[in-house]
């Protein structure tokens, strides 16, 4: 009796053959739609609407590995065919002229670069991959005539040299303190020293970014190395941050194993100091280099939680950008007052957002000031990750300032 009841119940609830066929047809149609969407997405990656020179980056390098374009403002579209986020740079010797960071796997990103004739190198994914070649030929459309003479930049570059020298001394002292704290196994002191040194490092992001090899050793994230966090070449500030704070700024709790990393950091900064003392910053890199540094921070931070370390980096970047804005402002006032106004407004907006987002020190000193209280780093850590609305405002304001800085070269008729 029980068996009969069960069979009857099952038959009562079983779908009819017609309903089953309808379900199969709907499932088949949904599968076709999904395949169509997938095919369209692949097609978009393969033949997107971006103009200019297409460069595909795989796990082993660039395709093509050698590119030739005429001088002037050119667009490169970078397609990432590797399995990790990558950056693409145009390098003149050791100086980085232009870059696009954090291109996700399967995605494409355009980059406009104003180039003069010459031979350059291209980075191609992993730092261990061979560089590509970029040959730029002379062209009649290399841009508008230069409206400013070289002597117009003498004052700005001289002031930048003084600023860079003073900040570099601070950075060397802070890094020496960091090395000593790590050697002593003092985690609290090491964390404080790291945040102070890192903030100065970010103030100098523009001049440091001119030297691709040192910038990579000091600031390249683990994703850019074949062995990621375990790669023997992974070092600099990102490696120290991982050890001192952990991936989410809460797990790291030891200085063990960091002494060689800190020692190498101090050595690299000594090399950097010597190079900066001898190098001349090209006028075209003043605003453009600052724009790249801000955009890089934005791209790396946009997809994740904004940690105290990311906020500390942005404070340093804003301080360095403020110095650059003060240098180009007098030139823009003569050449393009509207661009100057936009630039000043973008900087003021970011500074206001940072002032509201950053906890003050115990004495009330603002955390964004050059003379920030010594306990400001601890206040940053204690505050934890930023609320989503605050993070979104900082992302928007930092990108707006990056775009305003990127417009300066065109306004000043600078290229290269």
């Amino acid at each position: 009796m029980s068996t009969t009841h069960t069979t009857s119940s099952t038959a009562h609830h079983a779908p009819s053959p017609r309903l089953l066929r309808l379900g199969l047809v709907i499932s088949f149609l949904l599968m076709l739609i999904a395949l169509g969407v997938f095919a369209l997405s692949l097609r978009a990656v393969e033949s997107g609407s971006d103009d200019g020179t297409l460069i595909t980056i795989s796990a082993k390098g660039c395709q093509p590995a050698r590119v030739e374009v005429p001088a002037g403002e050119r667009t490169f579209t970078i397609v990432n065919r590797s399995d990790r986020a990558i950056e693409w740079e145009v390098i003149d010797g050791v100086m980085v002229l232009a870059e696009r960071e954090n291109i996700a796997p399967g995605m494409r990103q355009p980059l406009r670069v104003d180039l003069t004739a010459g031979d350059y190198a291209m980075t191609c994914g992993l730092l261990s991959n061979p560089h590509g070649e970029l040959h730029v030929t002379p062209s009649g459309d290399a841009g508008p005539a230069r409206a400013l003479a070289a002597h117009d930049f003498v004052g700005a570059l001289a002031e930048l040299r003084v600023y860079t020298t003073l900040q570099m001394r601070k950075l060397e002292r802070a890094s020496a303190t960091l090395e000593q704290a790590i050697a002593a196994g003092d985690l609290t002191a090491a964390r404080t020293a790291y945040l102070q040194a890192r903030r100065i490092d970010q103030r100098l992001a523009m001049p440091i970014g001119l030297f691709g090899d040192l910038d990579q050793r000091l600031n390249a994230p683990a994703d850019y190395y074949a062995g990621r966090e375990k790669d023997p070449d992974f070092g600099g500030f990102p490696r120290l941050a991982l050890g001192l704070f952990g991936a989410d700024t809460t797990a790291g709790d030891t200085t063990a194993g960091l002494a060689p990393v800190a020692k190498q950091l101090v050595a690299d900064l000594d090399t950097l100091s010597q190079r900066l003392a001898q190098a001349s910053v090209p006028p075209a890199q003043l605003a453009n280099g600052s724009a790249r540094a801000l955009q890089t921070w934005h791209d790396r931070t946009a997809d994740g939680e904004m940690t105290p370390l990311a906020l500390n980096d942005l404070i340093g970047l804003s301080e360095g950008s403020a110095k650059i804005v003060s240098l180009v402002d007098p030139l823009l006032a003569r050449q393009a007052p509207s661009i100057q106004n936009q630039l000043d407004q973008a900087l003021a907006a970011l500074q206001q957002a940072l002032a509201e987002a950053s906890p003050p020190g115990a004495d009330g000193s603002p955390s964004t000031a050059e003379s920030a209280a010594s306990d400001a780093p601890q206040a940053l850590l204690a505050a934890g990750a930023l609320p989503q609305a605050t993070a979104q405002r900082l992302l928007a304001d930092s990108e707006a300032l990056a775009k305003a800085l990127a417009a300066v070269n065109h306004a000043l008729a600078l290229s290269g």
Side-chain angles (χ1 to χ4, degrees):
M1 184 175 179
S2 174
T3 301
T4 303
H5 175 77
T6 302
T7 303
S8 174
S9 175
T10 302
H12 178 74
H13 292 291
S16 68
R18 176 177 295 179
L19 188 59
L20 282 173
R21 285 195 295 273
L22 180 60
L24 286 173
V25 169
I26 292 174
S27 298
F28 181 69
L29 290 174
L30 288 175
M31 183 179 69
L32 288 179
I33 292 172
L35 287 173
V37 171
F38 179 66
L40 288 174
S41 66
L42 287 179
R43 186 175 179 182
V45 172
E46 291 288 352
S47 59
S49 58
D50 297 316
D51 296 324
T53 302
L54 186 69
I55 298 176
T56 301
I57 297 181
S58 67
K60 296 183 178 179
C62 291
Q63 287 294 333
R66 186 179 190 281
V67 174
E68 182 172 310
V69 297
E73 192 172 70
R74 304 299 169 203
T75 296
F76 298 87
T77 298
I78 316 305
V79 179
N80 183 4
R81 291 296 190 195
S82 71
D83 62 355
R84 64 177 70 188
I86 54 104
E87 66 173 347
W88 185 79
E89 298 173 326
V90 177
I91 302 173
D92 183 8
V94 297
M95 288 193 172
V96 178
L97 297 183
E99 65 181 338
R100 174 69 74 185
E101 285 252 8
N102 201 39
I103 306 172
M107 300 302 292
R108 63 170 57 219
Q109 290 285 345
L111 176 64
R112 291 189 69 79
V113 188
D114 202 354
L115 293 166
T116 55
D119 290 312
Y120 306 92
M122 308 180 294
T123 55
C124 297
L126 293 178
L127 297 179
S128 54
N129 286 344
H131 284 173
E133 299 177 19
L134 174 60
H135 180 60
V136 181
T137 60
S139 169
D141 63 341
R146 292 175 184 271
L148 296 176
H151 62 74
D152 289 311
F153 296 94
V154 169
L157 294 177
E159 189 174 340
L160 176 66
R161 180 175 289 277
V162 172
Y163 176 79
T164 300
T165 300
L166 295 177
Q167 292 299 321
M168 195 65 225
R169 290 175 184 169
K170 289 183 179 180
L171 179 56
E172 289 181 298
R173 289 197 295 270
S175 299
T177 301
L178 172 60
E179 182 186 22
Q180 292 164 7
I182 288 175
D186 188 338
L187 179 62
T188 300
R191 283 178 164 180
T192 299
Y194 171 91
L195 290 168
Q196 291 173 333
R198 176 64 171 175
R199 187 177 293 191
I200 303 169
D201 168 73
Q202 293 297 279
R203 287 177 196 154
L204 295 171
M206 186 282 289
I208 293 176
L210 297 176
F211 306 104
D213 56 339
L214 285 175
D215 191 27
Q216 289 168 1
R217 291 211 295 272
L218 291 170
N219 299 308
D223 276 353
Y224 293 172
Y225 294 91
R228 298 180 187 270
E229 287 82 358
K230 295 181 180 179
D231 195 292
D233 291 330
F234 174 49
F237 283 105
R239 175 67 185 89
L240 292 173
L242 183 65
L244 294 174
F245 302 96
D248 59 357
T249 74
T250 59
D253 59 359
T254 178
T255 62
L258 297 180
V261 183
K263 183 178 181 180
Q264 184 60 51
L265 180 85
V266 170
D268 287 337
L269 290 176
D270 181 58
T271 303
L272 174 65
S273 179
Q274 296 176 38
R275 287 194 191 178
L276 287 175
Q278 299 170 359
S280 298
V281 175
Q285 291 300 315
L286 285 172
N288 214 32
S290 296
R292 292 203 309 271
L294 272 172
Q295 189 65 49
T296 296
W297 176 91
H298 174 276
D299 293 345
R300 287 179 181 172
T301 312
D303 296 332
E305 186 180 61
M306 191 173 294
T307 66
L309 296 187
L311 178 60
N312 189 61
D313 284 0
L314 183 57
I315 292 172
L317 286 169
S318 73
E319 291 166 347
S321 296
K323 184 62 187 180
I324 299 303
V325 171
S326 73
L327 297 179
V328 300
D329 254 1
L331 302 172
L332 288 171
R334 292 159 44 192
Q335 296 292 113
S338 62
I339 299 297
Q340 179 201 14
N341 187 47
Q342 293 173 17
L343 184 62
D344 291 348
Q345 288 184 3
L347 175 62
L350 178 58
Q351 289 176 326
Q352 180 63 33
L354 282 171
E356 295 175 11
S358 307
D363 64 351
S365 300
S367 193
T368 55
E370 285 268 353
S371 58
S374 59
D375 58 348
Q378 294 93 324
L380 275 181
L381 291 176
L386 294 181
Q388 185 67 15
T390 304
Q392 290 302 315
R393 181 183 173 190
L394 289 174
L395 285 168
D397 287 342
S398 61
E399 189 169 40
L401 179 57
K403 290 180 177 177
L405 284 163
V408 168
N409 276 9
H410 182 73
L412 296 180
L414 287 169
S415 63

